[in-house]
Amino acid sequence: MERVARWRTWTTELSPYVLDSFLALVSAGIAVWAVYNDDTRWPTWVYLLAVATAVPLPWRRRAPLTVLALYSAAEITLSVLAHSANAQVPLAGVLGLYTVAERCSDRARWSVLAVTVVGNVVGTHSPNGALFSVLTSGGSFVFGALVRTQRQLVRVEAERAREAGVRAASEAGRAVAEERARIAREMHDILAHAVSLMVIQAEAGPLVVRGDPDRAIRTFDTIADAGRDAMVQLRRVLGVLKDPEAGRELAPQPRLTELADVAERVRQAGLDVEFELADGLGALPADVEAAAFRIVQEALTNTVKHSGADRAAIRVRRSGEVLEVVVSDNGRGVPLTADRTVAGWSGGRGLVGIRERAAACGGRAEAGPGPEGRGFLVSVRLPLGPAGVVERVGG
């Protein structure tokens, strides 16, 4: 196989020279035939001069101007000393001019064409001969220019195809990264919320199991409900990952009405939650509704884990073509940095997830201290229609 590959490589590299050498032999044969069939008996040096017009042809691709100059020197000498022995169609001249038009710079090409036309008019002995020479030279030049243009178009198309391939690969990589980030957010929101409630309830269980058995039973029921809910949602996410034919539409799409169940489970964990879902929300885009649900879920999880609050409030309402979501609590809040931004806004996975979910819907998320610096407040605005403009996420 290696020998075959080397043979193919060698023949590919050699083929232009083989072809041009063959053309040189044909051109030399035509030139010699023209000398032989002339009425005058020419000496040997005329035959050699005719052959000399074709000798440079094998190198026409590498040095087209040099090859054409060598041909022209031999051809002019032959035309001056033995004009009638010239071939009617000098193949070497046609190939040389074609190669210059196809491979050289614009300045060199047009200069050569001008000199060739002048030489054809001055160097022929009749108007008909001059016209025939000009047409032959012009045709060779035009054909070479057309081939040059075609090859440039092919290179442009190849470059466009390469760039399209690079863009497609980049877009595919970006899509994979976005999907991984989306799945990571789903997994984080599901597990963080459920596990936080389960840990808090489990910690409270031993304290009430003897003094208030009924409350202890409710506590363990809450733990079981949170675990079952998390398992159901995880199965839905993992089902999308396992099925290569599954589309994004199979991913979990919670509804805002389910927030009442979330609020109830948080209440059972000891946090008094006030939930207000405004009437007249109408039909909401599935991605916006799911994003709002997860944002509220994550905000409540942060409240349970970090705030030390005993009350929280959820407000969801529609304002024109914007869905407004506000989650607040009366906890200890968070410190501010020197530039009056929330410390940790860019670091915590939960708040980052809230910001990413809002941005993915073309909306805006803000987080910071509540009224008069007490508690913590998360405010999100999500556009509902295609007219929604992506806003820079603040914090």
Side-chain angles (χ1 to χ4, degrees):
M1 294 298 293
E2 292 182 2
R3 183 176 299 177
V4 173
R6 285 198 299 269
W7 169 257
R8 289 178 178 175
T9 302
W10 181 77
T11 54
T12 300
E13 293 177 351
L14 186 63
S15 59
Y17 295 99
V18 172
L19 175 61
D20 291 338
S21 297
F22 173 76
L23 292 175
L25 290 175
V26 173
S27 178
I30 293 174
V32 169
W33 182 259
V35 176
Y36 179 78
N37 282 279
D38 191 41
D39 294 337
T40 305
R41 280 191 165 278
W42 297 105
T44 304
W45 64 265
V46 176
Y47 286 91
L48 294 177
L49 197 57
V51 172
T53 61
V55 168
L57 275 183
W59 295 274
R60 69 182 182 89
R61 302 172 196 261
R62 177 175 294 183
L65 285 175
T66 302
V67 169
L68 184 62
L70 293 175
Y71 158 79
S72 299
E75 177 65 24
I76 291 172
T77 303
L78 183 62
S79 180
V80 171
L81 300 179
H83 182 77
S84 62
N86 276 318
Q88 190 70 23
V89 179
L91 181 59
V94 170
L95 290 174
L97 191 58
Y98 159 84
T99 307
V100 168
E102 190 258 324
R103 292 179 177 267
C104 292
S105 64
D106 288 341
R107 182 177 180 180
R109 294 162 62 221
W110 294 111
S111 299
V112 167
L113 179 63
V115 171
T116 301
V117 170
V118 172
N120 288 336
V121 173
V122 174
T124 51
H125 294 173
S126 66
N128 289 337
L131 179 61
F132 180 79
S133 298
V134 169
L135 291 177
T136 302
S137 301
S140 304
F141 185 89
V142 169
F143 188 64
L146 290 176
V147 172
R148 175 192 180 92
T149 302
Q150 184 63 32
R151 288 184 176 175
Q152 288 176 340
L153 291 176
V154 169
R155 285 195 294 269
V156 169
E157 290 300 323
E159 181 62 21
R160 287 179 179 173
R162 187 192 67 80
E163 292 177 354
V166 172
R167 284 196 302 270
S170 176
E171 291 172 0
R174 184 164 55 251
V176 170
E178 290 175 354
E179 187 64 11
R180 290 180 64 178
R182 186 185 68 84
I183 294 172
R185 287 195 300 268
E186 294 287 346
M187 300 286 283
H188 172 272
D189 292 349
I190 293 170
L191 291 175
H193 180 74
V195 172
S196 296
L197 294 182
M198 292 167 68
V199 168
I200 291 175
Q201 296 285 52
E203 290 175 345
L207 301 178
V208 299
V209 68
R210 293 183 180 179
D212 192 349
D214 291 338
R215 183 181 174 186
I217 292 174
R218 291 194 301 270
T219 298
F220 291 124
D221 287 342
T222 301
I223 294 174
D225 290 342
R228 280 192 292 269
D229 181 66
M231 290 299 297
V232 169
Q233 295 189 62
L234 284 175
R235 286 195 192 99
R236 294 167 69 183
V237 173
L238 295 176
V240 174
L241 295 178
K242 290 180 180 179
D243 184 2
E245 301 299 326
R248 188 183 179 113
E249 65 276 3
L250 297 180
Q253 297 292 337
R255 313 290 295 183
L256 288 178
T257 54
E258 298 176 25
L259 285 175
D261 297 331
V262 175
E264 181 58 31
R265 285 197 295 271
V266 174
R267 290 190 191 101
Q268 294 173 5
L271 181 67
D272 183 15
V273 179
E274 180 184 347
F275 174 53
E276 180 184 327
L277 182 63
D279 297 330
L281 292 181
L284 301 176
D287 59 336
V288 172
E289 193 164 5
F293 178 94
R294 294 299 185 197
I295 286 170
V296 172
Q297 187 181 56
E298 180 58 36
L300 287 177
T301 301
N302 288 342
T303 298
V304 171
K305 290 170 61 177
H306 306 299
S307 72
D310 57 13
R311 292 196 312 275
I314 305 169
R315 303 282 188 274
V316 181
R317 68 186 186 92
R318 180 168 182 163
S319 177
E321 290 300 306
V322 175
L323 184 69
E324 297 180 348
V325 179
V326 178
V327 181
S328 60
D329 62 59
N330 66 344
R332 56 179 170 266
V334 295
L336 297 179
T337 60
D339 60 354
R340 305 294 296 171
T341 59
V342 178
W345 171 248
S346 298
R349 180 64 253 178
L351 290 178
V352 171
I354 290 175
R355 180 177 60 184
E356 290 175 348
R357 285 188 182 279
C361 296
R364 180 181 63 189
E366 296 177 349
E372 300 180 1
R374 293 177 298 182
F376 193 77
L377 184 143
V378 174
S379 177
V380 180
R381 292 172 57 85
L382 304 176
L384 299 176
V389 178
V390 177
E391 301 179 77
R392 186 175 65 84
V393 176

